[in-house]
Amino acid sequence: MAEESGVLNDSGRGCPAVRCIALDMDRTTLNKEGRLSENNRRALEQVIASGVHVIIASGRAFDTLPRDMVELPGVEYAITLNGAAMYHVPTGNCLKRYRISEKAVEAVMKATEKEPVSYEAFINGTAYAGKELLENPTAFGVTPQAADYVRSTRHGVDDIVRFIHENKHRLDSMDMIVCNEELQQKIWKRAAGATDEIYITSSIHNLVEVADRQAGKRTGLAFFTELLGLKREETAAFGDADNDIDMIRYAGYGIAMANASEACKQAADFVTGHHDEDGVAEGLKNILKLIK
């Protein structure tokens, strides 16, 4: 259980040095404008200069990751699409990918495509969406603040359902966009009941995010921990939503934002400040104390 504190709760766990930090993006590292604040930037630069590996950990596709982070010197790796694809940031090379099986795609579509939802498909780091979503994102529960992001990062297709069926053999992941939480729960149950080959999560109330059952941000962080020759005790992870919980539990130090969901806070070791009040910078200051 988390503590509302400026000091990491290391009671009974010792205090190993932190060598790797995984950062969720939206409503965690980025402010309400979707940008990296100056205070968060300076804190990250200090951590990177100390020799710590910084890993983006996002539900976003690689091509839609925030430039503020991708272009920050020293950011080496990215967990994308909730652990469905892991990248080397400077080269854009995909290091590990878990595609949804064709059978699972067919099952999810059969269970949901007659419902009032729109879809997003992600292939090789690129995001695709139906034109009906791009023309009127708010009709599908997208907030006005997020509408510009959706329009600017998705490639529009005339018939997204047909597109998914035609590309079912190469989907990294897919989203179902819904207009309210009641429908979200209904669609979640339908997808989960259709196949046991998928991982389902959600970062916000109007999304049901589907990937291969091997995915998850925990999977991504474990992949990079092994790649870098580190112990999980040497990792820290920041997040705000339910799709961050498995990563926060896996990390040696799990940190939830003040604006995080209650489940995310309960999974964390401690709670830092609000995402729009440089909460990541606050947490990183504490992590710097653990670097030896």
Side-chain angles (χ1 to χ4, degrees):
M1 180 176 177
E3 293 184 355
E4 293 275 355
S5 169
V7 179
L8 284 169
N9 175 19
D10 63 336
S11 174
R13 299 174 61 181
C15 195
V18 174
R19 303 299 182 199
C20 175
I21 298 170
L23 296 164
D24 173 55
M25 294 289 99
D26 299 291
R27 298 168 303 280
T28 297
T29 307
L30 306 179
N31 60 23
K32 63 184 178 182
E33 283 81 33
R35 301 298 304 273
L36 183 64
S37 72
E38 190 57 35
N39 283 341
N40 280 352
R41 179 185 298 274
R42 285 198 298 265
L44 282 169
E45 289 172 342
Q46 189 175 2
V47 165
I48 290 168
S50 299
V52 175
H53 299 281
V54 171
I55 299 174
I56 294 168
S58 180
R60 298 193 189 198
F62 184 77
D63 290 352
T64 72
L65 292 176
R67 306 318 301 174
D68 286 359
M69 283 297 296
V70 171
E71 296 172 1
L72 186 65
V75 174
E76 303 168 279
Y77 302 108
I79 300 164
T80 71
L81 299 173
N82 294 309
M86 277 60 75
Y87 284 83
H88 180 244
V89 170
T91 63
N93 290 334
C94 184
L95 305 177
K96 185 71 174 180
R97 172 178 278 118
Y98 299 102
R99 284 200 167 103
I100 312 176
S101 72
E102 293 184 39
K103 179 182 175 182
V105 173
E106 290 173 347
V108 170
M109 294 302 292
K110 182 177 181 181
T112 64
E113 63 185 311
K114 292 183 179 180
E115 299 293 335
V117 305
S118 190
Y119 297 89
E120 295 177 324
F122 303 94
I123 301 171
N124 296 331
T126 300
Y128 299 87
K131 288 188 175 179
E132 74 281 356
L133 173 65
L134 301 185
E135 289 170 358
N136 191 8
T138 56
F140 293 92
V142 178
T143 64
Q145 298 92 327
D148 287 342
Y149 161 73
V150 170
R151 290 193 185 101
S152 65
T153 57
R154 271 58 178 165
H155 293 256
V157 297
D158 290 328
D159 187 338
I160 188 64
V161 171
R162 178 179 178 181
F163 180 85
I164 289 173
H165 282 294
E166 290 176 345
N167 291 276
K168 62 186 177 182
H169 59 290
R170 61 192 192 114
L171 290 188
D172 293 334
S173 69
M174 58 187 290
D175 290 348
M176 289 163 279
I177 302 95
V178 299
C179 59
N180 57 60
E181 291 187 47
E182 181 179 355
L183 182 57
Q184 181 199 48
Q185 293 303 311
K186 179 181 179 181
I187 295 300
W188 187 309
K189 290 179 181 178
R190 282 184 174 273
T195 174
D196 61 359
E197 295 184 9
I198 56 174
Y199 165 81
I200 307 178
T201 190
S202 180
S203 55
I204 50 178
H205 72 277
N206 70 309
L207 279 183
V208 178
E209 300 165 69
V210 176
D212 180 77
R213 61 184 170 193
Q214 298 177 84
K217 290 188 181 183
R218 178 195 185 282
T219 295
L221 183 53
F223 171 78
F224 284 119
T225 302
E226 182 177 355
L227 181 73
L228 297 169
L230 302 176
K231 300 176 182 178
R232 62 184 292 186
E233 291 80 11
E234 297 174 302
T235 67
F238 288 73
D240 76 293
D242 291 358
N243 66 325
D244 298 311
I245 289 174
D246 62 348
M247 175 178 70
I248 282 175
R249 286 177 172 159
Y250 171 85
Y253 301 96
I255 303 132
M257 310 305 291
N259 52 282
S261 69
E262 286 305 311
C264 186
K265 288 179 180 179
Q266 289 295 317
D269 297 301
F270 100 123
V271 176
T272 188
H274 194 281
H275 82 105
D276 205 35
E277 298 173 356
D278 303 325
V280 163
E282 176 187 321
L284 291 175
K285 288 178 183 177
N286 290 289
I287 285 176
L288 284 170
K289 298 173 185 177
L290 306 178
I291 300 171
K292 301 173 183 176

